[in-house]
Amino acid sequence: MLTPKTSVVSLFLFYSLLDDLNLIMIQKYEMSIDVKDQIRTIIEELKSLRSFLEDMEVQKHPELEGFLIQTSDIAYEVLYILTSYAPVWYLNLRLPQVMEKIKLIRLALEKLNKYPTEKVIISR
């Protein structure tokens, strides 16, 4: 079982990842407008998921830790994609895939919030 301390650390790491993504967004001035828009959308979606998890009180409900970990994994994936100096075509391929992962997490969290006693599993 995860402890509240673990959740706090996970939230801190997630905040740090979002800060890194925002910084990269600012520094990557040579990216196309389309790619920047996709990244901006992903960052906003991740922030929204973070708020959703906070509202559901991850610290009080350790079962939500898995969602926080998956959301952090997505942030790491985006960070890796952006720092790998991938060509624009690759970014245009991968970023929509990331958005789909975010959508699945959001749907699972909304279902869990609506039906708290039901077990929700997210496939990867």
Side-chain angles (χ1 to χ4, degrees), residues 13-14 16-25 27-28 39 42-43 46 71-86 91 94-95 98:
L13 289 174
F14 188 60
S16 177
L17 282 169
L18 288 176
D19 288 344
D20 290 347
L21 287 174
N22 278 317
L23 185 60
I24 287 172
M25 183 69 187
Q27 293 174 344
K28 292 271 188 171
I39 295 166
I42 288 170
I43 290 170
L46 289 171
T71 304
S72 295
D73 287 349
I74 291 171
Y76 276 119
E77 182 179 354
V78 173
L79 192 60
Y80 175 77
I81 291 168
L82 295 179
T83 58
S84 66
Y85 298 103
L91 295 175
R94 288 295 308 273
L95 295 176
V98 170

Side-chain angles (χ1 to χ4, degrees), residues 1-90:
M1 176 169 228
L2 300 168
T3 64
K5 183 178 179 182
T6 305
S7 296
V8 171
V9 170
S10 296
L11 280 171
F12 174 76
L13 289 174
F14 188 60
Y15 294 149
S16 177
L17 282 169
L18 288 176
D19 288 344
D20 290 347
L21 287 174
N22 278 317
L23 185 60
I24 287 172
M25 183 69 187
I26 292 167
Q27 293 174 344
K28 292 271 188 171
Y29 56 88
E30 72 279 354
M31 284 190 283
S32 72
I33 300 287
D34 183 47
V35 170
K36 279 191 173 192
D37 286 344
Q38 289 180 66
I39 295 166
R40 220 175 265 115
T41 301
I42 288 170
I43 290 170
E44 291 307 312
E45 286 293 321
L46 289 171
K47 286 179 181 178
S48 176
L49 282 178
R50 176 195 66 198
S51 296
F52 198 78
L53 285 165
E54 287 172 344
D55 289 346
M56 290 179 73
E57 300 177 347
V58 174
Q59 286 89 354
K60 292 181 182 175
H61 301 285
E63 67 273 9
L64 296 176
E65 181 76 15
F67 290 102
L68 182 59
I69 290 169
Q70 287 181 317
T71 304
S72 295
D73 287 349
I74 291 171
Y76 276 119
E77 182 179 354
V78 173
L79 192 60
Y80 175 77
I81 291 168
L82 295 179
T83 58
S84 66
Y85 298 103
V88 172
W89 67 264
Y90 181 76

